[in-house]
Amino acid sequence: MTTNMTALITGANKGIGLSTARQLGERGYTVLVGARDPERGREAERALRDGGADAYAVELDVTDEDSVARAAKRISDQYAHLDVLVNNAGIARGDGTGRPSETTLATLREVYETNVFGVVTVTNVLLPLLLAAPAARIVNVSSEVGSIGIMTDPAHPLFPIASVAYPSSKSALNMVTAMYAKELRDTPIRVNAANPGYCATDLNGNSGFRTPDQGAEVSVHLATLGEDGPTGLLWGFLMDGSNSYGVLPW
């Protein structure tokens, strides 16, 4: 299958990002594997190509404006537009037990640099290329722990979590998503936040009960929405026992 569509996935050398690249590659997309480490990016490129994907490693550190600018220039020079941006790169850090009262500003800043500021940097630099595409899709990989509605619901399984850095960064990312969707509402671009669910990745010490492939299904669905698809939603895995996907509360 050939689509002539190009997708950039940040943090795509492992975990959900790599699975997202693989699944989009299977759908005929040219996948650009964003990775901070060039060698790891090339390893992911080789693995994807061995699986039949049209994949290319792109050195990209979302916390480095110069790195983002270089990646954007390469994409512009080679493809002239970008059909899909999946802001997948993310980190989780904690101090002590992870409680709010034990959180340091240094940790908070580090997490926000990647999970929030990096997303805004990448999106803004690549927006002209996304606008040059017929109908681009922006997917921001978020989390249910960023949902204030879920985290304040005593009946929800995640209610016992009391942490600041990672959950609040995803709450901020949700607002970033909503604001971009509002700005771009009169364009063909759709902007949504993805909730992959609790997947086994390096981010959580591979403790999740869902696989990276299952988590990637959410990003791929939002990346391939039709022209009548929604925008400005937090959508993905529902931890309600239904083992299904749907809209989550902000």
Side-chain angles (χ1 to χ4, degrees), residues 13-241:
N13 59 284
K14 61 180 180 178
I16 295 172
L18 181 59
S19 291
T20 301
R22 182 180 297 111
Q23 291 179 28
L24 286 172
E26 289 171 351
R27 286 161 174 76
Y29 284 72
T30 293
V31 288
L32 307 179
V33 183
R36 286 183 301 174
D37 185 313
E39 180 53 37
R40 290 182 179 179
R42 287 189 290 269
E43 289 175 2
E45 175 190 304
R46 288 192 290 269
L48 291 165
R49 284 185 164 275
D50 287 346
D54 185 29
Y56 302 90
V58 175
E59 185 177 349
L60 175 58
D61 180 348
V62 303
T63 68
D64 183 335
E65 291 183 78
D66 291 337
S67 174
V68 175
R70 287 192 298 269
K73 185 178 187 307
R74 175 180 170 184
I75 296 169
S76 178
D77 289 346
Q78 293 184 321
Y79 303 101
H81 72 275
L82 186 65
D83 298 284
V84 171
L85 169 61
V86 181
N87 285 306
N88 171 82
I91 63 171
R93 299 286 188 271
D95 301 297
T97 65
R99 295 175 182 174
S101 58
E102 298 177 18
T103 300
T104 65
L105 287 180
T107 294
L108 201 62
R109 290 189 179 105
E110 182 183 7
V111 172
Y112 270 64
E113 281 290 345
T114 296
N115 295 3
V116 184
F117 307 150
V119 171
V120 173
T121 301
V122 171
T123 302
N124 284 353
V125 172
L126 292 174
L127 192 55
L129 292 173
L130 292 161
L131 287 166
R137 302 289 177 258
I138 300 173
V139 181
N140 296 329
V141 179
S142 187
S143 170
E144 57 222 325
V145 301
S147 164
I148 295 175
I150 286 175
M151 297 302 283
T152 55
D153 178 5
H156 197 278
L158 295 174
F159 180 75
I161 294 175
S163 180
V164 168
Y166 184 76
S168 72
S169 75
K170 293 304 185 180
S171 297
L173 179 60
N174 290 344
M175 181 60 81
V176 166
T177 302
M179 292 297 108
Y180 274 103
K182 188 157 59 170
E183 177 182 351
L184 298 169
R185 65 187 181 278
D186 294 327
T187 76
I189 297 178
R190 298 288 180 268
V191 189
N192 291 289
N195 175 44
Y198 191 36
C199 299
T201 66
D202 287 352
L203 185 138
N204 56 40
N206 294 294
S207 61
F209 59 84
R210 282 167 57 77
T211 67
D213 284 345
Q214 289 173 320
E217 289 174 357
V218 178
S219 294
V220 171
H221 172 79
L222 294 173
T224 58
L225 289 172
E227 62 180 19
D228 58 346
T231 191
L233 297 179
L234 172 59
W235 187 93
F237 181 73
L238 302 174
M239 194 182 288
D240 58 5

